[in-house]
Amino acid sequence: MSHAVDPITVSVIQHRLRAIVEEMGEAMLRTSYSQILNSSRDFSTALCDPEGRLVAQAEHVPIHVGALPFAAKSVYEFFKGTIRPGDVYLLNDPYRGGNHLPDLTAFVPVFDGDELVYWAINRSHQSDIGGATHGAYNASAKEIFQEGLRVPPLKLYDQGVRREDVYEMIVLNVRHPRDFRGDLAAMIGSARLGERRMSELIREFGSAQSRAAVEAVLDGAERQVRAIISEWKDGVYEGEAFLDDDGHQFKDVYIRARVTKRGSDLEVDLTESHPQVTGFINSSYANTHSAVVVALAYLIDPDTPKNDGAFRPLSVKLKEGTVVWPRPGAPVTLCTNHCGQEIMEAIIRALAPACPERAMAGWGRRFRVAIQGVDPRTKKPFIWHLFQARPGGGASSAGDGWAAAGEWQAAGGIKFGSIEVHEVRFPFFFRRHEFRPDSGGDGRYRGGPGAELEMVIETAEPAVGNTAGDGVKYGACGMVGGEDGAPHNYWLESKGSPDRPLKTKETGVVLKPGDVLQVRSGGGGGWGPPEERTDEARARDKSLGFVTR
């Protein structure tokens, strides 16, 4: 560090960086149009430098953020030498740093004089991104071109002026353009807010001092993480996790992690994972790196900044042609959940013997339902994404797992929102929404229960549903002797047709007026041997209705 900066200033700037990305998130929450963003909060905000180093992130959706450095570097290298104040860039291509196509990313450059010094970034999951099916998840896809609109590094605003031809081309290719326009405006506004706040910080502290403080924040995070890893026993550790299927011909798709720990360094080798599959569970290169980063983030202290410095002790080995690094063109839309979550599971399972007190049990898996129809009250079309009936969170050495907290890749960052608000906004009636007893894995600390939901379709004409998820066969993993959580169980009750289970990966599900969606989501994994759970804790479980036996 060429410029000396005192520790108090470093601490102040570290907290300012955190405040900036959090304020960006609040702006997004308050201005976005779609339910998936302004209710379920499926977005993330961050700051990177031009080369893609992660400077700060807010606690939104972890799987987003570890991939952002690849996207920031991709945009920078494509437009290097032509980036100007007032520009806005977009990207969603998973083969250029995106997680998957629904996650559109907006970049606003931050300048210090004439020099580009940071990117203010917003990555947000779109309610629709075109393609063969509504809602962005196409379980039938065999190539990425069937999944939606691909956006390479693209300049949308040129020195403050919107490129209308480019803008209209993008909007034309998505369903429900009104919502998309509003969400895109919210994303850009959020990133521009980050740009203004970073410019204010640079002016307040000065160019040299602010940059030196950022470097000190990154170096400090590295020291903290290396100190933690150094406490673990050196060795080679192996872990494995499975997905039910890819929606096509592949079953029991495996992720195999070989983790080598030497001193304060970790090498994660995923080269022995399942070969690339047909369906959309393949994980883009950036998404896989992000999943590895998230696994490490879950093993370190919660107050350690999760930035480029924190992840310097980590190296990753992948092999192209595997499910964790598919060849270009493969479908990948489900990868943020699956196999992203299984990558985390395999790594944490591997390292559990080295740091059992830090290894939390698995969280429930994702089972998404997207419904397209017409609201008979307004005569307007809608796309709705199921975020209710979240699965349970995994237990840890700190205590029981959170009830209905969601999936591991989001760690509670995605919400289900108000039932009453959803009934006002969409033609559904939630007849029941409550915790699912006996779904959390047993252990010294119990996995969080999943949820049970009964939802009645109140359209006037049939709607169409698509599913996307996993976890009907494999539940959330227990850890250090804890038991697995119960898997999912989703059913469709349809008048005039036999009741049937919903598959985790199917398209074109006809939902007739009066049909009932029955959801029983999986519970989280337990932590520690069940015989070590106290009688008092078991009595409390029964009194709360979390267990019945």
Side-chain angles (χ1 to χ4, degrees):
M1 194 164 59
S2 59
H3 183 90
V5 58
D6 67 273
I8 294 176
T9 300
V10 172
S11 180
V12 169
I13 289 180
Q14 176 179 321
H15 285 83
R16 281 281 290 275
L17 294 172
R18 176 69 176 270
I20 289 169
V21 290
E22 288 180 346
E23 187 180 4
M24 292 167 64
E26 284 300 306
M28 183 68 192
L29 179 66
R30 294 168 185 268
T31 58
S32 53
Y33 279 35
S34 296
Q35 157 243 351
I36 198 170
L37 300 175
N38 62 27
S39 177
S40 299
R41 307 185 185 208
D42 196 348
F43 61 79
S44 296
T45 55
L47 300 166
C48 286
D49 72 4
E51 286 74 32
R53 294 188 306 164
L54 180 63
V55 171
Q57 61 166 306
E59 292 185 359
H60 290 135
V61 182
I63 193 67
H64 283 168
V65 185
L68 287 179
F70 294 91
K73 187 175 182 180
S74 181
V75 171
Y76 177 68
E77 291 180 347
F78 193 89
F79 289 101
K80 188 174 182 179
T82 65
I83 301 167
R84 300 290 182 267
D87 289 353
V88 177
Y89 300 88
L90 298 180
L91 179 144
N92 79 342
D93 187 2
Y95 294 99
R96 292 179 174 88
N99 289 91
H100 61 174
L101 293 182
D103 286 336
L104 186 63
T105 310
F107 303 81
V108 172
V110 180
F111 282 83
D112 181 4
D114 294 330
E115 183 182 358
L116 173 66
V117 287
Y118 302 109
W119 292 107
I121 306 173
N122 180 301
R123 175 162 286 181
S124 295
H125 187 115
Q126 305 304 303
S127 180
D128 187 83
I129 198 67
T133 59
H134 68 272
Y137 289 86
N138 181 5
S140 301
K142 296 183 179 181
E143 55 183 357
I144 195 172
F145 308 103
Q146 298 166 324
E147 295 191 290
L149 178 67
R150 292 176 72 180
V151 181
L154 180 148
K155 181 184 289 188
L156 184 63
Y157 281 76
D158 188 351
Q159 299 182 73
V161 179
R162 191 167 70 190
R163 300 177 61 194
E164 295 297 333
D165 54 344
V166 174
Y167 178 70
E168 292 300 329
M169 185 277 295
I170 297 172
V171 172
L172 182 66
N173 279 278
V174 300
R175 301 168 180 87
H176 299 192
R178 176 189 175 275
D179 285 358
F180 181 83
R181 291 176 193 268
D183 292 337
L184 181 56
M187 292 172 60
I188 294 169
S190 165
R192 281 176 167 162
L193 175 61
E195 184 273 333
R196 290 198 301 274
R197 295 291 185 259
M198 283 301 292
S199 296
E200 291 166 3
L201 184 150
I202 293 169
R203 287 194 298 271
E204 181 177 343
F205 289 92
S207 177
Q209 185 165 239
S210 61
R211 294 197 208 186
V214 167
E215 295 300 326
V217 169
L218 300 181
D219 292 342
E222 179 182 5
R223 287 193 298 272
Q224 292 178 50
V225 174
R226 288 193 180 279
I228 291 168
I229 295 173
S230 295
E231 296 174 352
W232 307 343
K233 184 179 178 180
D234 282 359
V236 179
Y237 303 92
E238 296 183 348
E240 190 173 51
F242 288 90
L243 294 87
D244 296 349
D245 58 72
D246 77 329
H248 295 269
Q249 74 269 34
F250 292 98
K251 312 292 183 185
D252 303 313
V253 178
Y254 54 85
I255 307 297
R256 292 176 179 156
R258 182 181 178 90
V259 184
T260 303
K261 188 270 178 184
R262 295 190 188 92
S264 64
D265 291 311
L266 290 176
E267 179 190 80
V268 175
D269 185 341
L270 300 173
T271 57
E272 296 303 314
S273 295
H274 196 285
Q276 177 178 330
V277 297
T278 303
F280 61 172
I281 64 171
N282 295 295
S283 179
S284 63
Y285 186 93
N287 188 78
T288 293
H289 269 263
S290 189
V292 175
V293 161
V294 172
L296 176 59
Y298 289 166
L299 295 170
I300 61 179
D301 293 346
D303 55 354
T304 298
K306 310 305 188 292
N307 57 32
D308 177 81
F311 305 129
R312 288 172 186 165
L314 190 62
S315 62
V316 183
K317 290 182 67 176
L318 305 176
K319 182 169 69 175
E320 191 172 18
T322 60
V323 71
V324 297
W325 184 12
R327 296 183 179 86
V332 297
T333 298
L334 191 56
C335 72
T336 53
N337 291 111
H338 309 294
C339 62
Q341 185 153 314
E342 288 71 27
I343 294 169
M344 300 173 207
E345 179 181 326
I347 294 168
I348 294 175
R349 274 185 155 178
L351 285 171
C355 54
E357 297 299 312
R358 291 180 176 272
M360 77 172 95
W363 291 42
R365 301 189 177 190
R366 186 75 174 105
F367 193 160
R368 177 187 300 268
V369 180
I371 299 175
Q372 180 182 40
V374 175
D375 190 333
R377 300 166 298 183
T378 63
K379 312 303 181 186
K380 293 182 179 179
F382 69 86
I383 295 176
W384 177 82
H385 295 264
L386 173 67
F387 282 96
Q388 283 67 32
R390 308 293 280 166
S396 70
S397 61
D400 294 345
W402 293 338
E407 305 84 31
W408 218 351
Q409 54 87 24
I414 296 178
K415 316 297 182 184
F416 67 71
S418 164
I419 293 294
E420 290 78 12
V421 169
H422 277 266
E423 289 178 332
V424 170
R425 295 180 68 179
F426 301 96
F428 307 126
F429 170 60
F430 291 84
R431 195 159 64 191
R432 186 161 67 101
H433 191 275
E434 57 194 47
F435 294 131
R436 179 187 179 189
D438 303 319
S439 57
D442 199 2
R444 182 196 304 179
Y445 298 111
R446 173 191 38 74
E452 294 186 347
L453 164 71
E454 292 181 7
M455 190 186 79
V456 183
I457 308 297
E458 294 189 329
T459 56
E461 300 294 333
V464 178
N466 298 323
T467 68
D470 205 77
V472 167
K473 180 177 182 180
Y474 295 102
C477 67
M479 199 66 66
V480 294
E483 295 182 357
D484 293 351
H488 295 307
N489 185 3
Y490 284 30
W491 279 76
L492 176 63
E493 296 180 3
S494 185
K495 294 180 180 179
S497 302
D499 297 350
R500 73 172 182 92
L502 284 174
K503 299 177 182 178
T504 55
K505 305 169 186 72
E506 59 177 307
T507 58
V509 179
V510 177
L511 299 170
K512 294 176 287 189
D515 283 0
V516 179
L517 186 64
Q518 293 271 9
V519 172
R520 295 174 182 86
S521 64
W527 190 94
E531 59 268 22
E532 296 180 2
R533 189 160 182 81
T534 66
D535 292 340
E536 292 81 4
R538 294 197 180 279
R540 186 172 63 251
D541 292 341
K542 287 189 176 181
S543 69
L544 293 171
F546 290 167
V547 300
T548 60
R549 56 183 184 272

